[in-house]
Amino acid sequence: MTVLLDIAEPGQSLRPHEVRSEHRKRVVGIDLGTTFSLVAAVDLQGKPACIPDPAGHVACPSVVCYPPKGGVVVGDAAVVLSAQFPADTVASVKRTMGRSLEDVQASEHRTSYALAAGDGGMVRIITSQNNLSPVEVSAAILKTLAERAEDALGGALQGAVITVPAYFDDAQRQATKDAGRLAGLEVLRLVNEPTAAALAYGLDHGREGVYAIYDLGGGTFDISILRLTKGVFQVLATGGDSALGGDDFDHRLCEFFFQKVGVEKPTPDVLQRVRQMARSTKERLSQEDSVTIALELSDGKTWEIPVTRTHFEEMIADLVRATGIPCRRALKDAGVGAKDLQGVVLVGGSTRVPMVRQFVKDVFGREPLSDLDPDQVVALGAAIQAEQLSGNATGDMLLLDVTPLSLGIETMGELVEKIIARNAPIPTARSQDFTTFKDGQTAMAIHVVQGERELVNDCRSLARFELRGIPPMTAGAARIRVTFQVDADGLLTVSAREETTGIEQSVAVKPSYGLGDAEIERLLREAMVHGEEDWKKRLLHEARVEAERVLSASGAALREDGDLLDEMELKRVKASMLALWEASQKEDHEAINRARETLDKETVFFAERRMDRNVRRVMTGRKVDDFQ
Ligand code: ADP
Ligand code: MG
């Protein structure tokens, strides 16, 4: 019985994110940050990865510009426009989510845009064209990230997990959820940022106990103490400083630069340029020991200012030390000591500063976990959570599931070439290259089978499809890459692609679990019983296939270049061909192979002469195409 299900659109690329079956839900995790936002998804191998924008950047500045002429600009482009339209550019909108005007004013959060009080005193954002709620601004960011993910995943999103700080109250959470809905997302869940970071490190599979999550971002510092019991994280205590982050490091560097060049009141334009320079200097100093900046002022004078890491560390030492107080307080609130911790996780771009890392180590008395990119870790954890909630994967299943039977394709002579072996952990993907069998062959039939036996007829047929449009080439010249992918649900997608032209076809196959346990067992038992017999059959088939290939190649050669042989030679070659054909009609694979070797030997000199002729043709400047 042949089962053939919906043909999937053959994708052009095999990037892991793009490879997914029709049956897998397209879900993402979104880190909606104060300064940067990211989107991530779990690939077919079960690994979460951030999705970059077309320029290759994964972090989208959480900045939205509403230019006076209309429109909405999000991310890096909005940062560029902010110099021109400071009052129409909204940054750090997260600080206003679910807050009243009074709350925001009390927080001393300074904005370049105007604020007003709306219904119930809730904050509104006023630009020259708009009167916006923070929810609308956040939705604009979410929409940008969702569109980026849809491009990468090849279709509309079916759900998203969005992260929020652990301390967010109900109003702030509700506002975040509304923003998701406004962006057209189905919000599967809001997850605490520290919990997402813990998930990214797989701590939910680790030892039960208490963990500290140290998150130093662009404008905020958060410390969270979590307790893991039975795979669930409980927030024991949170703390931090909502006005402390990497921006303050930048600020110290700016002050230093302006002091060096003796500028007290920089123009907004110069201020923005110097701020950007400060940020990049800071980020470079995480790797390099010293950086020299070239600062050109409006009077045309250029200043070269060197900064060493040591000097930078002196500038920020008090800021870094200030994070220690909330850490100790949070531990106290949670009722644990630093010694009782199972682990410490670094989150936030500013934890890349070596001095910060060292400080965290000193405060908690242990090396913090830092293998994952600290500014991606929240988004990665959110993606894992989304994957689990969508039913694409449930924690353990991801690790324990295997393919129950081998999967392969039919090759010449009704043989099975196994591509994914039985018991391979899923999700999994493997490719194998095949070639054409005949000169000028323009199509290739792909027959997908499942089972342990050597011959197609003894396996279960899953699907058939055809790769068409292969350019005519000599037998063996085309390279056709067949890729098998089994997703976490056991769903198989097979694609075939001719590598020189990029022509591709693919098909999604019924779940390999369509077979009941009893049937799987029967197929396995048969494979064992018939092992020896199958082997002989396989050898015979292989010998016949090879014989046919050599016969067909020799025939073509005679047709093209038969004039290179004299009458005697021609007779001998033809006799050997006949002998091989006769042998191939019998059941003895060894006899067939002997006859084939004889023909091979008979035609060595013929092949040499053909090669000479071809070389001469090329030398006389004819196109290769002319004799194909
Ligand atoms: P958010 O506050 O939105 O959570 P992030 O966690 O992405 O933001 O942190 C952003 C901050 O991290 C910025 O101040 C940025 O300059 C800083 N940062 C990013 N990379 C580095 C680096 N290599 N060295 C020092 N700081 C960095
Ligand atoms: Mg963050």
Side-chain angles (χ1 to χ4, degrees), residues 31-36 38 94 193 215-218 220 222 347-349 374-375 378:
D31 171 5
L32 186 60
T34 310
T35 45
F36 287 101
L38 298 90
K94 191 174 178 178
E193 287 162 12
D215 179 352
L216 190 60
T220 54
D222 296 309
V347 183
D375 33 36
V378 169

PDB file of all heavy atoms in Angstrom, residues 31-36 38 94 193 215-218 220 222 347-349 374-375 378, ligand 2:
ATOM      1  N   ASP A  31      11.658  37.593  23.754  1.00  0.00           N
ATOM      2  CA  ASP A  31      12.168  38.363  24.887  1.00  0.00           C
ATOM      3  C   ASP A  31      11.885  39.831  24.564  1.00  0.00           C
ATOM      4  O   ASP A  31      12.557  40.423  23.724  1.00  0.00           O
ATOM      5  CB  ASP A  31      13.676  38.099  25.043  1.00  0.00           C
ATOM      6  CG  ASP A  31      14.326  39.027  26.069  1.00  0.00           C
ATOM      7  OD1 ASP A  31      13.611  39.812  26.731  1.00  0.00           O
ATOM      8  OD2 ASP A  31      15.564  38.964  26.203  1.00  0.00           O
ATOM      9  N   LEU A  32      10.857  40.372  25.184  1.00  0.00           N
ATOM     10  CA  LEU A  32      10.468  41.767  24.950  1.00  0.00           C
ATOM     11  C   LEU A  32      11.202  42.610  25.988  1.00  0.00           C
ATOM     12  O   LEU A  32      10.714  42.840  27.087  1.00  0.00           O
ATOM     13  CB  LEU A  32       8.946  41.879  25.092  1.00  0.00           C
ATOM     14  CG  LEU A  32       8.288  43.215  24.758  1.00  0.00           C
ATOM     15  CD1 LEU A  32       8.540  43.631  23.318  1.00  0.00           C
ATOM     16  CD2 LEU A  32       6.790  43.146  25.020  1.00  0.00           C
ATOM     17  N   GLY A  33      12.407  43.052  25.615  1.00  0.00           N
ATOM     18  CA  GLY A  33      13.284  43.702  26.593  1.00  0.00           C
ATOM     19  C   GLY A  33      13.124  45.212  26.637  1.00  0.00           C
ATOM     20  O   GLY A  33      12.505  45.807  25.748  1.00  0.00           O
ATOM     21  N   THR A  34      13.713  45.817  27.649  1.00  0.00           N
ATOM     22  CA  THR A  34      13.644  47.271  27.784  1.00  0.00           C
ATOM     23  C   THR A  34      14.463  47.943  26.684  1.00  0.00           C
ATOM     24  O   THR A  34      14.020  48.915  26.076  1.00  0.00           O
ATOM     25  CB  THR A  34      14.214  47.704  29.153  1.00  0.00           C
ATOM     26  OG1 THR A  34      13.592  46.916  30.156  1.00  0.00           O
ATOM     27  CG2 THR A  34      13.930  49.166  29.424  1.00  0.00           C
ATOM     28  N   THR A  35      15.653  47.408  26.417  1.00  0.00           N
ATOM     29  CA  THR A  35      16.494  48.026  25.392  1.00  0.00           C
ATOM     30  C   THR A  35      16.578  47.199  24.107  1.00  0.00           C
ATOM     31  O   THR A  35      16.680  47.746  23.027  1.00  0.00           O
ATOM     32  CB  THR A  35      17.920  48.289  25.920  1.00  0.00           C
ATOM     33  OG1 THR A  35      18.355  47.134  26.627  1.00  0.00           O
ATOM     34  CG2 THR A  35      17.946  49.470  26.853  1.00  0.00           C
ATOM     35  N   PHE A  36      16.543  45.855  24.255  1.00  0.00           N
ATOM     36  CA  PHE A  36      16.589  44.993  23.076  1.00  0.00           C
ATOM     37  C   PHE A  36      15.545  43.899  23.180  1.00  0.00           C
ATOM     38  O   PHE A  36      15.283  43.390  24.268  1.00  0.00           O
ATOM     39  CB  PHE A  36      17.958  44.324  22.943  1.00  0.00           C
ATOM     40  CG  PHE A  36      19.043  45.259  22.500  1.00  0.00           C
ATOM     41  CD1 PHE A  36      19.935  45.776  23.418  1.00  0.00           C
ATOM     42  CD2 PHE A  36      19.151  45.638  21.173  1.00  0.00           C
ATOM     43  CE1 PHE A  36      20.933  46.650  23.018  1.00  0.00           C
ATOM     44  CE2 PHE A  36      20.149  46.510  20.767  1.00  0.00           C
ATOM     45  CZ  PHE A  36      21.040  47.019  21.688  1.00  0.00           C
ATOM     46  N   LEU A  38      14.219  40.085  21.280  1.00  0.00           N
ATOM     47  CA  LEU A  38      14.676  39.004  20.409  1.00  0.00           C
ATOM     48  C   LEU A  38      13.565  37.982  20.224  1.00  0.00           C
ATOM     49  O   LEU A  38      12.682  37.854  21.083  1.00  0.00           O
ATOM     50  CB  LEU A  38      15.875  38.272  21.025  1.00  0.00           C
ATOM     51  CG  LEU A  38      17.157  39.039  21.275  1.00  0.00           C
ATOM     52  CD1 LEU A  38      17.158  39.647  22.661  1.00  0.00           C
ATOM     53  CD2 LEU A  38      18.357  38.113  21.126  1.00  0.00           C
ATOM     54  N   LYS A  94       8.895  49.613  27.793  1.00  0.00           N
ATOM     55  CA  LYS A  94       8.595  48.583  28.791  1.00  0.00           C
ATOM     56  C   LYS A  94       8.408  49.191  30.183  1.00  0.00           C
ATOM     57  O   LYS A  94       7.640  48.680  30.993  1.00  0.00           O
ATOM     58  CB  LYS A  94       9.744  47.567  28.808  1.00  0.00           C
ATOM     59  CG  LYS A  94       9.465  46.299  29.602  1.00  0.00           C
ATOM     60  CD  LYS A  94      10.619  45.329  29.416  1.00  0.00           C
ATOM     61  CE  LYS A  94      10.431  44.053  30.220  1.00  0.00           C
ATOM     62  NZ  LYS A  94      11.536  43.112  29.985  1.00  0.00           N
ATOM     63  N   GLU A 193      11.284  36.088  33.044  1.00  0.00           N
ATOM     64  CA  GLU A 193      12.598  36.096  32.395  1.00  0.00           C
ATOM     65  C   GLU A 193      13.605  35.169  33.092  1.00  0.00           C
ATOM     66  O   GLU A 193      14.285  34.393  32.417  1.00  0.00           O
ATOM     67  CB  GLU A 193      13.121  37.535  32.314  1.00  0.00           C
ATOM     68  CG  GLU A 193      12.361  38.341  31.264  1.00  0.00           C
ATOM     69  CD  GLU A 193      12.506  39.845  31.425  1.00  0.00           C
ATOM     70  OE1 GLU A 193      13.366  40.288  32.204  1.00  0.00           O
ATOM     71  OE2 GLU A 193      11.748  40.585  30.760  1.00  0.00           O
ATOM     72  N   ASP A 215      20.666  39.295  36.243  1.00  0.00           N
ATOM     73  CA  ASP A 215      20.358  39.861  34.927  1.00  0.00           C
ATOM     74  C   ASP A 215      20.683  41.350  34.890  1.00  0.00           C
ATOM     75  O   ASP A 215      19.949  42.164  35.440  1.00  0.00           O
ATOM     76  CB  ASP A 215      18.865  39.610  34.626  1.00  0.00           C
ATOM     77  CG  ASP A 215      18.430  40.181  33.265  1.00  0.00           C
ATOM     78  OD1 ASP A 215      19.219  40.896  32.620  1.00  0.00           O
ATOM     79  OD2 ASP A 215      17.289  39.890  32.857  1.00  0.00           O
ATOM     80  N   LEU A 216      21.786  41.686  34.227  1.00  0.00           N
ATOM     81  CA  LEU A 216      22.155  43.094  34.070  1.00  0.00           C
ATOM     82  C   LEU A 216      22.023  43.461  32.586  1.00  0.00           C
ATOM     83  O   LEU A 216      22.812  43.011  31.758  1.00  0.00           O
ATOM     84  CB  LEU A 216      23.582  43.325  34.566  1.00  0.00           C
ATOM     85  CG  LEU A 216      24.024  44.788  34.695  1.00  0.00           C
ATOM     86  CD1 LEU A 216      23.164  45.579  35.662  1.00  0.00           C
ATOM     87  CD2 LEU A 216      25.488  44.857  35.141  1.00  0.00           C
ATOM     88  N   GLY A 217      20.956  44.212  32.277  1.00  0.00           N
ATOM     89  CA  GLY A 217      20.662  44.552  30.875  1.00  0.00           C
ATOM     90  C   GLY A 217      21.142  45.940  30.521  1.00  0.00           C
ATOM     91  O   GLY A 217      22.167  46.407  31.025  1.00  0.00           O
ATOM     92  N   GLY A 218      20.352  46.626  29.660  1.00  0.00           N
ATOM     93  CA  GLY A 218      20.732  47.957  29.217  1.00  0.00           C
ATOM     94  C   GLY A 218      20.399  49.024  30.246  1.00  0.00           C
ATOM     95  O   GLY A 218      21.197  49.925  30.492  1.00  0.00           O
ATOM     96  N   THR A 220      18.331  48.129  33.253  1.00  0.00           N
ATOM     97  CA  THR A 220      17.794  47.557  34.496  1.00  0.00           C
ATOM     98  C   THR A 220      18.681  46.444  35.017  1.00  0.00           C
ATOM     99  O   THR A 220      19.381  45.761  34.264  1.00  0.00           O
ATOM    100  CB  THR A 220      16.395  46.948  34.247  1.00  0.00           C
ATOM    101  OG1 THR A 220      16.484  46.026  33.171  1.00  0.00           O
ATOM    102  CG2 THR A 220      15.369  48.011  33.935  1.00  0.00           C
ATOM    103  N   ASP A 222      18.206  43.052  37.501  1.00  0.00           N
ATOM    104  CA  ASP A 222      17.267  42.173  38.197  1.00  0.00           C
ATOM    105  C   ASP A 222      18.001  40.982  38.778  1.00  0.00           C
ATOM    106  O   ASP A 222      18.784  40.331  38.081  1.00  0.00           O
ATOM    107  CB  ASP A 222      16.210  41.630  37.220  1.00  0.00           C
ATOM    108  CG  ASP A 222      15.348  42.737  36.641  1.00  0.00           C
ATOM    109  OD1 ASP A 222      14.822  43.532  37.431  1.00  0.00           O
ATOM    110  OD2 ASP A 222      15.226  42.805  35.401  1.00  0.00           O
ATOM    111  N   VAL A 347      22.610  36.590  32.927  1.00  0.00           N
ATOM    112  CA  VAL A 347      21.685  37.042  31.890  1.00  0.00           C
ATOM    113  C   VAL A 347      21.954  38.524  31.621  1.00  0.00           C
ATOM    114  O   VAL A 347      22.353  39.261  32.533  1.00  0.00           O
ATOM    115  CB  VAL A 347      20.214  36.867  32.345  1.00  0.00           C
ATOM    116  CG1 VAL A 347      19.245  37.275  31.228  1.00  0.00           C
ATOM    117  CG2 VAL A 347      19.944  35.435  32.783  1.00  0.00           C
ATOM    118  N   GLY A 348      21.686  38.954  30.375  1.00  0.00           N
ATOM    119  CA  GLY A 348      21.797  40.383  30.052  1.00  0.00           C
ATOM    120  C   GLY A 348      23.146  40.707  29.436  1.00  0.00           C
ATOM    121  O   GLY A 348      24.192  40.205  29.863  1.00  0.00           O
ATOM    122  N   GLY A 349      23.109  41.567  28.422  1.00  0.00           N
ATOM    123  CA  GLY A 349      24.311  41.911  27.675  1.00  0.00           C
ATOM    124  C   GLY A 349      25.431  42.460  28.542  1.00  0.00           C
ATOM    125  O   GLY A 349      26.617  42.245  28.257  1.00  0.00           O
ATOM    126  N   PRO A 374      24.567  35.586  26.987  1.00  0.00           N
ATOM    127  CA  PRO A 374      23.684  36.122  28.031  1.00  0.00           C
ATOM    128  C   PRO A 374      22.566  37.021  27.501  1.00  0.00           C
ATOM    129  O   PRO A 374      21.540  37.155  28.135  1.00  0.00           O
ATOM    130  CB  PRO A 374      24.635  36.915  28.936  1.00  0.00           C
ATOM    131  CG  PRO A 374      25.819  37.207  28.087  1.00  0.00           C
ATOM    132  CD  PRO A 374      25.945  36.060  27.129  1.00  0.00           C
ATOM    133  N   ASP A 375      22.772  37.634  26.317  1.00  0.00           N
ATOM    134  CA  ASP A 375      21.647  38.446  25.858  1.00  0.00           C
ATOM    135  C   ASP A 375      20.646  37.656  25.020  1.00  0.00           C
ATOM    136  O   ASP A 375      19.618  38.183  24.639  1.00  0.00           O
ATOM    137  CB  ASP A 375      22.075  39.761  25.180  1.00  0.00           C
ATOM    138  CG  ASP A 375      23.361  39.653  24.427  1.00  0.00           C
ATOM    139  OD1 ASP A 375      23.586  38.568  23.840  1.00  0.00           O
ATOM    140  OD2 ASP A 375      24.135  40.600  24.425  1.00  0.00           O
ATOM    141  N   VAL A 378      17.309  34.447  27.496  1.00  0.00           N
ATOM    142  CA  VAL A 378      15.890  34.554  27.847  1.00  0.00           C
ATOM    143  C   VAL A 378      15.017  34.144  26.656  1.00  0.00           C
ATOM    144  O   VAL A 378      14.067  33.370  26.793  1.00  0.00           O
ATOM    145  CB  VAL A 378      15.561  35.988  28.325  1.00  0.00           C
ATOM    146  CG1 VAL A 378      14.062  36.206  28.426  1.00  0.00           C
ATOM    147  CG2 VAL A 378      16.216  36.249  29.676  1.00  0.00           C
TER     148      VAL A 378
HETATM  149 MG    MG B   2      16.642  41.447  29.267  1.00  0.00          MG
END
